[in-house]
Amino acid sequence: MFHVYRGVFPKVHQELNHWIERAKEIPNEELRTQALMSIKDKTFHCEGGGIYSLLAGSNRKEAIRFIVAYQTISDYLDNLCDRSTSMDPDDFRMLHQSMIDALTPEHPVKNYYAYREDQNDGGYLQDLVETCQSVLRDVDDYSIVHPYTLKLGSLYSDLQVHKHVKEEERIPRLQNWFEGHQRDWPGLEWYEFSACTGSTLGIFCLVSYLLSGRMDKGLAQQVEKSYFPFMQGLHILLDYYIDQQEDEEEGDLNFCSYYAHEDEMKERFSYFVEQTHEEIQLLPDRAFHQMIHEGLVGMYLADRKVGRLANGKNFVKGLLKVSGRKATFFYLNTKMYHKLKPGRSL
């Protein structure tokens, strides 16, 4: 955590400051507003992702450059889709093509706004894509990693398309999508699979290991297996858990609402915790991945929004017990942090 606060977060903020200045230059008012809001409201996504740069060794700076640019694309597009007057899946697909191109250095950049009225971002989204491409283009052996980053990036993009269309089409589309993957993951429900695809952690882990010079095909396979579905699923399910009341009030899709009852949700969250713990034991730097795993649980459960949920205290107590001592450490430290910094939320 010392290295994170002293060596990672300042560099993350340097990169974010660059993109803030770049976003201020966007000519279109709506695109400029959403670009700036996505950074302001979701800085912690880049901070959390930046922790993976510790795996990159002497290339930490390049890892942060990629992670911040890629996460900024994700957060910006999420804002554009959430606050869009469009419900056009072609529009959402074209926007998210930028996330595929960012992972594929040989792809030319495109007009990602082709299906929407707001067009002129002054090259902002293309610059983000080209920043990611430039980091990956300069690394030997990216061809080893590309099938795995592309798979995770494609699943993420599919999710964003399906979940942002007209409300009555969302669930049928997500269920039909899962049918194509159910054979691989028969133990998951469609809403759990959807959650597993909604995280960028596996991509950040793969790219950081690649930049360290330690990557080979076996490690690439193991990272994907260790992070997808369970680590990524735990990450996003926790995110949805703390947002339940907010999403209900705003009529937004929340995957936690599809559990039959709270006991089932507790049981499934515990299952994800246990499966994640088991899978990450097979990775190098096991203590690092364990820190990420238990840190996710502790920090999300310490969010102030949990206090507004029915039976929140019992849920927290049960999941911390399953998750281990470090999860409780992160939970208590985050609670203390919120007390010392009133008004800040995860």
Side-chain angles (χ1 to χ4, degrees):
M1 294 312 296
F2 173 81
H3 289 301
V4 167
Y5 284 110
R6 293 294 298 273
V8 173
F9 286 175
K11 289 184 173 62
V12 166
H13 284 274
Q14 280 180 10
E15 289 293 319
L16 281 174
N17 287 338
H18 164 74
W19 292 115
I20 289 169
E21 293 306 310
R22 189 67 187 77
K24 287 177 181 176
E25 298 169 359
I26 295 174
N28 180 279
E29 183 180 356
E30 174 64 13
L31 298 178
R32 182 173 65 252
T33 298
Q34 297 306 335
L36 289 169
M37 279 180 60
S38 71
I39 296 175
K40 177 178 176 287
D41 295 342
K42 299 174 182 178
T43 292
F44 69 94
H45 287 171
C46 288
E47 290 173 340
I51 295 172
Y52 281 93
S53 68
L54 293 173
L55 297 173
S58 60
N59 284 321
R60 182 186 302 173
K61 187 176 178 182
E62 285 301 285
I64 290 173
R65 190 163 166 252
F66 172 86
I67 289 165
V68 171
Y70 198 77
Q71 188 61 48
T72 298
I73 297 174
S74 170
D75 293 335
Y76 173 50
L77 298 189
D78 200 40
N79 269 35
L80 286 185
C81 295
D82 274 345
R83 292 159 178 78
S84 176
T85 52
S86 164
M87 293 289 179
D88 181 3
D90 291 334
D91 175 34
F92 301 145
R93 179 68 65 190
M94 193 65 200
L95 285 172
H96 283 88
Q97 180 62 38
S98 63
M99 298 190 74
I100 304 302
D101 292 348
L103 297 170
T104 314
E106 63 272 19
H107 278 195
V109 292
K110 302 170 180 67
N111 175 18
Y112 301 111
Y113 305 102
Y115 294 96
R116 61 174 42 219
E117 187 177 331
D118 296 299
Q119 291 272 328
N120 189 6
D121 75 351
Y124 175 72
L125 184 51
Q126 291 183 350
D127 284 355
L128 284 163
V129 170
E130 288 176 333
T131 296
C132 296
Q133 289 180 332
S134 70
V135 173
L136 300 177
R137 191 180 291 118
D138 292 341
V139 192
D140 293 333
D141 299 327
Y142 180 55
S143 59
I144 296 172
V145 172
H146 186 237
Y148 303 98
T149 56
L150 188 61
K151 175 184 174 182
L152 294 175
S154 297
L155 288 169
Y156 179 91
S157 299
D158 288 344
L159 171 69
Q160 299 308 315
V161 172
H162 297 319
K163 80 173 213 178
H164 283 111
V165 295
K166 293 177 184 174
E167 189 173 347
E168 64 270 19
E169 294 179 10
R170 290 172 188 171
I171 306 309
R173 286 181 70 116
L174 289 166
Q175 290 174 334
N176 289 337
W177 177 47
F178 177 53
E179 282 179 15
H181 298 276
Q182 192 167 10
R183 190 169 69 173
D184 295 329
W185 304 108
L188 298 180
E189 300 294 337
W190 67 265
Y191 44 90
E192 292 174 330
F193 174 80
S194 295
C196 297
T197 65
S199 173
T200 49
L201 296 186
I203 291 172
F204 297 157
C205 188
L206 284 162
V207 171
S208 296
Y209 268 130
L210 176 72
L211 288 162
S212 76
R214 292 187 281 166
M215 183 55 72
D216 57 32
K217 189 173 181 181
L219 178 55
Q221 288 175 333
Q222 189 56 58
V223 169
E224 190 218 354
K225 189 170 183 290
S226 292
Y227 271 76
F228 185 85
F230 296 109
M231 173 78 101
Q232 292 199 169
L234 180 64
H235 171 208
I236 301 304
L237 285 171
L238 285 165
D239 196 50
Y240 276 102
Y241 174 74
I242 68 170
D243 283 343
Q244 284 179 96
Q245 184 175 334
E246 193 176 297
D247 288 344
E248 186 177 351
E249 289 167 1
E250 296 180 9
D252 290 340
L253 181 72
N254 189 303
F255 295 130
C256 289
S257 68
Y258 294 96
Y259 288 112
H261 44 74
E262 186 164 321
D263 286 344
E264 182 188 35
M265 183 165 66
K266 283 182 188 175
E267 185 182 311
R268 294 301 289 171
F269 271 56
S270 296
Y271 173 70
F272 271 77
V273 165
E274 289 160 358
Q275 291 298 121
T276 300
H277 177 78
E278 188 176 311
E279 290 293 348
I280 61 179
Q281 304 310 309
L282 303 171
L283 286 168
D285 311 293
R286 187 173 61 189
F288 172 87
H289 299 287
Q290 193 69 29
M291 178 196 75
I292 297 286
H293 167 38
E294 297 183 4
L296 278 173
V297 175
M299 288 163 62
Y300 269 106
L301 293 182
D303 193 286
R304 288 191 178 107
K305 288 184 273 190
V306 175
R308 300 196 292 268
L309 297 176
N311 300 316
K313 284 185 179 179
N314 288 335
F315 188 90
V316 168
K317 186 177 178 182
L319 203 58
L320 286 177
K321 187 176 180 181
V322 174
S323 300
R325 287 181 300 168
K326 287 194 185 111
T328 302
F329 166 81
F330 280 109
Y331 172 78
L332 294 172
N333 274 267
T334 306
K335 294 284 276 188
M336 183 60 68
Y337 178 76
H338 287 327
K339 285 182 180 177
L340 295 173
K341 298 262 186 178
R344 183 180 172 98
S345 179
L346 276 173

